Amino acid sequence: QVQLVESGGGLVQAGDSLRLSCAASGRTFSSYNMGWFRQAPGKEREFVAFLNWSGGATSYADSVKGRFTISRDNAKNTVYLLMNNLKPEDTAIYYCAASSFGILSTLSRRYEYWGQGTQVTVSS
């Protein structure tokens, strides 16, 4: 069982940066692949980024590639999402998720555990 708690969201202006954190409980955090997803009002939840258990493999949605960076600190049971050059279209609730599925996936159904989400609002 893994419990996830996101933090770091807020209201920023276009071009600003934010770093989201996701703190995990449980001794086996380091064995999980981790992902960030987001959901904007009236839209489906979409993949943002993932990384594998060691942090050595990452992937990003095209819409955030080059602006967002996912990382993890297994000693702190925490995964991060650094978001630079934020745009109004990045406005959404951001969720972190944990997956024990052996293959890294962009599909939300492959992730068993989810946080409650943190709101990111980017004004123009």
Side-chain angles (χ1 to χ4, degrees):
Q1 188 90 12
V2 177
Q3 292 184 328
L4 304 172
V5 179
E6 302 96 334
S7 61
L11 172 62
V12 297
Q13 293 185 334
D16 285 351
S17 298
L18 276 177
R19 189 179 76 161
L20 305 183
S21 299
C22 174
S25 64
R27 298 180 180 179
T28 59
F29 168 77
S30 61
S31 66
Y32 285 87
N33 297 325
M34 299 297 296
W36 284 96
F37 292 77
R38 67 186 182 187
Q39 188 166 18
K43 294 187 177 181
E44 293 187 353
R45 190 171 298 189
E46 65 174 2
F47 164 76
V48 174
F50 64 51
L51 82 170
N52 72 335
W53 63 274
S54 69
T58 60
S59 185
Y60 298 90
D62 287 342
S63 59
V64 307
K65 199 172 294 182
R67 300 188 297 122
F68 290 13
T69 303
I70 188 172
S71 62
R72 68 191 298 163
D73 185 338
N74 286 338
K76 295 183 178 180
N77 277 15
T78 302
V79 63
Y80 304 98
L81 185 67
L82 175 62
M83 306 184 294
N84 293 323
N85 189 23
L86 282 160
K87 303 176 181 180
E89 51 264 43
D90 294 319
T91 295
I93 299 174
Y94 283 72
Y95 300 89
C96 71
S99 172
S100 63
F101 189 58
I103 300 173
L104 288 168
S105 177
T106 63
L107 301 175
S108 59
R109 65 176 182 266
R110 297 297 188 189
Y111 292 77
E112 301 104 302
Y113 304 104
W114 292 82
Q116 83 290 347
T118 185
Q119 176 71 48
V120 173
T121 304
V122 184
S123 63
S124 57

